[in-house]
């Protein structure tokens, strides 16, 4: 993800405490393919507009605005993977649950940005541009900036824990 | 030196430092870790892809492998997970490999039963309920796939040093009130994100007097408040459990919190004031007292005794004490899934199994089963289940149109007799 500087696309919105069970329910285990995971992303999350379009089995949304404790619950890496395979590239949440956050950072599939935004359902479908290099995002012409990843920014920039470890230890 | 908590002391020791401070990122050496069947097939694949086809794990004796989520295989894809794990165990000569068979069960209970969790150590698992190990004064926490992939290779992992919340419980519990009620009450007070990234340290006379298995129940569900780990000082009961778990435990070094350590928050509960609690659908912090639940006459279709939270020997004994010699409510199904084969065996040798069967229960083979909804007890649309498990998110038990309530084994058993949630 370090190589992508601009992420552009439509926004989705999730409320507080959206857990990994609704992102990739255990009843679909074993998740046999990335296509299957993409098609079930957020399938048990109740919303008027589904995250995944049932016709294409992909998500029209690239950026997810979320509330508090996004990704609480289990440690399953299938949760961030499902969102990513469906088409999401970045989640901007008021706060994250820790294993989900670790999974995002260490797998490098989905960029987890912590930002105390005030968006709600009305943001769904709006165009958002994120400048990963400058750490800003733009909605309705307004620019918001978020802080960097602090002591773990090297892992984010390496694209995940495995590439980071390979770079730093030469393994 | 600033006063340290037991969690900080473990992380400092594992990092080779004198002390650590909340917020700091440290790289800690891992004493023991495990992975289970949903991930090992993929861990194996990526391990060789990323680190080379001849790559070796850092220390095979510090890795345990469990088959618990998808056994017995519900389909061929599930079976392929088990086969891949067998191959990995063989290739890497992993001694602590527990396949479906003679001696297996739910990872967290197996970890404790087999003596893989020792005081003062860093113990990781690819499962969020790895927080259970704080019951034995270890720093236990759940990590993701990529973390474990790297731990397998390097034996270490980065952590943010947590702030510590004290949960102090003093006094004697009323009859019929157990650890599950206390932890539900705590989760209700803190909320699901209330301990996010933080430690829950359990203290007080109620904890000191608790059995080892009840301590496990408390720590197990600390993740439902978002906690990074739950932890307790060692007790006589915990020492005794460890001594039984392994005939020759290697020497261990428990840690305690310095007396003048400053918690970021302290929650004090009087044991006498705690009532049996029930978590309503669809979150574990949606807790209400049994008096309220009773007043609402909530009809239930299924009672599920299972999981790493509610299917240890003491949980099943609680159920047995109530159900023995009685009959289940009409039309209700009671599913009992012992956590491990050794519990299963003890149920048979103690005559518990036949009493439960006589009452109308069905006893399934050990495993995660319906706890996470993959198989073995999925509900119909609109049906209610009362469960001794730890999570009741929408769809958690396999059907997003069903409703899951959480309680202690005691309340679950009483309710199985009446058909309504009751004590
Ligand atoms: S019993 Fe349930 S909560 Fe425990 S490890 Fe298995 S699926 Fe997870």
């Amino acid at each position: 993800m370090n190589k992508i500087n601009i992420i552009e696309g439509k926004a989705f919105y999730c409320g507080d405490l959206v857990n990994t069970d609704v992102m990739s329910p255990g009843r679909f285990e074993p998740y046999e393919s990335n296509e299957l995971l993409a098609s079930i992303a957020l399938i048990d999350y109740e919303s008027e507009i589904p995250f995944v379009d049932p016709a294409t089995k992909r998500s029209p949304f690239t950026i997810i605005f979320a509330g508090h404790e996004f990704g609480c619950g289990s440690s399953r890496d299938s949760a961030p993977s499902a969102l990513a395979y469906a088409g999401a590239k970045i989640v901007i949440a008021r706060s994250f649950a820790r294993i989900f956050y670790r999974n995002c950072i260490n797998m490098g599939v989905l960029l987890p940005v912590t930002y105390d935004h005030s968006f709600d359902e009305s943001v769904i479908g709006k165009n958002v541009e994120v400048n990963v290099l400058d750490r800003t995002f733009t909605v309705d012409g307004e620019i918001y900036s978020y802080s960097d990843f602090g002591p773990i920014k090297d892992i984010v920039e390496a694209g995940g824990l495995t590439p980071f470890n390979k770079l730093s230890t030469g393994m | 030196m600033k006063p340290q908590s037991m969690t900080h002391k473990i992380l400092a020791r594992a990092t080779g430092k004198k002390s650590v401070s909340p917020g700091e990122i440290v790289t800690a050496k891992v004493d023991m870790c495990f992975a289970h069947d949903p991930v090992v097939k993929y861990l194996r694949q990526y391990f060789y892809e990323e680190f080379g086809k001849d790559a070796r794990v850092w220390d095979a004796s510090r890795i345990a492998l469990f088959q618990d989520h998808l056994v017995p295989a519900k389909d061929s894809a599930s079976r392929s997970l088990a086969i891949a794990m067998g191959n990995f165990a063989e290739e890497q000569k992993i001694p602590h490999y527990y396949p479906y068979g003679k001696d297996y069960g739910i990872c967290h209970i197996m970890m404790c039963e087999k003596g893989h969790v020792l005081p003062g150590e860093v113990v990781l698992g690819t499962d969020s309920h790895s927080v259970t190990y704080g019951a034995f004064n270890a720093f236990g926490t759940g990590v993701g796939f990529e973390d474990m992939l790297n731990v397998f290779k390097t034996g270490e992992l980065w952590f943010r040093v947590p702030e510590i919340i004290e949960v102090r419980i003093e006094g004697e519990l009323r009859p019929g009130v157990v650890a599950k009620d206390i932890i539900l009450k705590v989760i209700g007070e803190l909320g699901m994100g209330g301990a996010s990234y933080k430690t829950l340290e359990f203290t007080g006379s109620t904890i000191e007097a608790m059995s080892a298995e009840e301590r496990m129940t408390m720590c197990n569900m600390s993740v439902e408040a978002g906690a990074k780990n739950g932890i307790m000082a060692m007790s006589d009961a915990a020492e005794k459990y460890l001594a039984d778990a392994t005939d020759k435990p290697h020497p261990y070094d428990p840690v305690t919190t310095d007396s003048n350590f400053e918690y970021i928050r302290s929650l004090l509960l009087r044991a006498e004031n705690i009532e049996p609690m029930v978590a309503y659908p669809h979150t574990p912090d949606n807790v209400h007292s049994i008096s309220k639940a009773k007043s609402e006459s909530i009809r239930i279709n299924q009672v599920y005794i299972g999981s790493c939270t509610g299917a240890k020997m003491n949980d099943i004994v609680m159920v047995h004490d109530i159900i023995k010699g009685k009959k289940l409510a009409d039309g209700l199904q009671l599913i009992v899934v012992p956590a491990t084969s050794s519990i299963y065996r003890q149920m048979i040798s103690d005559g518990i199994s036949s009493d439960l069967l006589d009452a109308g229960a069905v006893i399934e083979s050990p495993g995660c089963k319906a706890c996470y909804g993959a198989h073995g007890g999925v509900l119909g649309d609109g049906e209610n289940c009362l469960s001794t498990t730890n999570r009741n998110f929408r769809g958690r038990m396999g059907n997003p149109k069903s409703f899951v309530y959480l309680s202690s084994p005691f309340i679950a058993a009483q309710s199985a007799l009446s058909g309504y949630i009751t004590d």
Side-chain angles (χ1 to χ4, degrees), chain B residues 60-382:
Chain B
S61 70
R62 293 180 184 274
I63 296 174
L65 301 176
F66 299 102
Q67 292 176 4
D68 56 5
H69 278 61
L70 286 150
V71 287
K74 64 167 179 162
D75 49 25
S76 60
S78 307
R79 183 62 192 149
S80 84
L81 301 181
I83 293 169
M85 183 186 284
N87 291 340
F88 192 63
E90 162 87 38
E91 290 151 10
Q92 298 289 334
K93 304 274 173 289
I94 291 172
H96 307 301
Y97 165 48
Y98 302 98
Y100 179 67
K102 189 175 178 197
D103 188 16
Y104 84 105
I106 301 173
C107 52
H108 306 299
I109 309 306
M110 291 293 287
M111 283 290 283
C112 299
E113 265 187 11
K114 297 293 173 188
H116 295 321
V117 177
L118 294 175
E121 299 201 337
V122 172
V123 186
L124 305 181
T126 51
D127 192 281
S128 59
H129 289 100
S130 305
V131 291
T132 306
Y133 316 139
F136 300 102
N137 191 238
F139 172 79
T141 193
V143 298
F145 173 85
E146 199 80 15
D147 304 70
M148 197 52 84
L149 180 67
N150 284 274
V151 170
F152 275 10
K153 185 74 182 99
T154 65
E156 30 179 67
L157 192 63
W158 68 270
F159 291 102
R160 181 188 169 281
V161 177
E163 293 83 7
I164 319 288
I165 299 174
E166 179 189 34
V167 178
R168 174 174 288 274
I169 302 135
E170 295 285 359
E172 221 175 293
L173 291 166
R174 292 182 350 214
V177 182
V178 292
K180 181 71 173 276
D181 300 305
I182 309 178
I183 192 67
L184 283 174
K185 172 107 187 143
V186 169
I187 295 162
E189 302 243 334
L190 292 172
M192 270 170 64
S196 197
Y197 290 91
K198 302 184 180 66
T199 298
L200 289 185
E201 185 176 310
F202 299 99
T203 64
S205 59
T206 317
I207 302 293
E208 281 156 29
M210 217 172 237
S211 75
E213 289 169 308
E214 288 282 88
R215 289 162 62 93
M216 288 160 73
T217 306
M218 298 282 301
C219 290
N220 174 279
M221 284 193 72
S222 49
V223 71
E224 266 57 73
K228 172 175 230 148
N229 66 315
I231 196 164
M232 301 170 168
M234 279 304 272
S235 71
D236 294 347
E239 296 274 1
K240 166 100 181 32
Y241 183 102
L242 281 188
D244 292 346
T246 161
D247 18 306
K248 267 197 248 91
H250 71 72
Y252 55 77
D253 199 1
V255 283
T256 51
T257 295
D258 294 332
S259 57
N260 43 355
F261 176 77
E262 277 181 36
Y263 297 100
I264 57 154
R265 178 176 174 190
S266 283
L267 191 70
L268 172 70
L269 297 176
R270 292 294 320 175
E272 296 81 3
N273 297 341
I274 301 174
E275 262 199 90
M277 305 300 289
V278 178
Y280 282 29
H282 292 286
T283 54
D285 64 351
N286 187 13
V287 294
H288 299 279
S289 68
I290 190 68
S291 336
K292 173 160 189 282
K294 247 161 73 173
S295 73
E296 292 173 6
S297 306
I298 304 164
R299 215 193 127 85
I300 44 178
N301 309 92
Q302 174 172 302
V303 169
Y304 185 81
I305 311 292
S307 87
C308 53
T309 310
K312 300 180 287 322
M313 199 61 222
N314 72 314
D315 299 313
I316 290 170
V317 166
M318 250 184 262
V319 173
H320 176 248
D321 286 348
I322 290 162
I323 300 267
K324 189 183 171 193
K326 310 238 173 67
K327 286 272 166 284
L328 300 184
D330 281 346
L332 179 139
Q333 58 188 30
L334 170 62
I335 306 177
V336 181
V337 188
T340 66
S341 355
S342 73
I343 297 169
Y344 199 1
R345 277 202 192 92
Q346 198 181 332
M347 285 170 66
I348 295 169
S349 60
D350 292 357
I352 291 177
S353 291
S354 53
D355 288 344
L356 291 179
L357 291 169
D358 287 346
V362 176
I363 303 170
E364 295 278 352
S365 59
C368 295
K369 297 271 167 73
C371 167
Y372 82 117
H375 58 152
V378 175
L379 298 148
D381 290 0

Side-chain angles (χ1 to χ4, degrees), chain A residues 85-143:
Chain A
Y85 294 146
K89 292 201 164 57
I90 182 163
V91 182
I92 302 172
R94 293 189 190 109
S95 66
F96 288 91
R98 66 165 281 275
I99 308 181
F100 184 89
Y101 188 75
R102 283 194 82 94
N103 277 331
C104 289
I105 297 285
N106 288 344
M107 294 164 70
V109 290
L110 190 66
L111 191 68
V113 170
T114 310
Y115 185 88
D116 195 15
H117 64 80
S118 52
F119 296 110
D120 57 21
E121 275 84 3
S122 62
V123 80
I124 295 180
K126 284 196 178 164
N127 224 59
V128 180
E129 187 180 298
V130 185
N131 187 321
V132 178
L133 218 54
D134 293 351
R135 299 192 311 275
T136 58
F137 59 93
T138 310
V139 189
D140 286 339
E142 193 152 340
I143 301 175

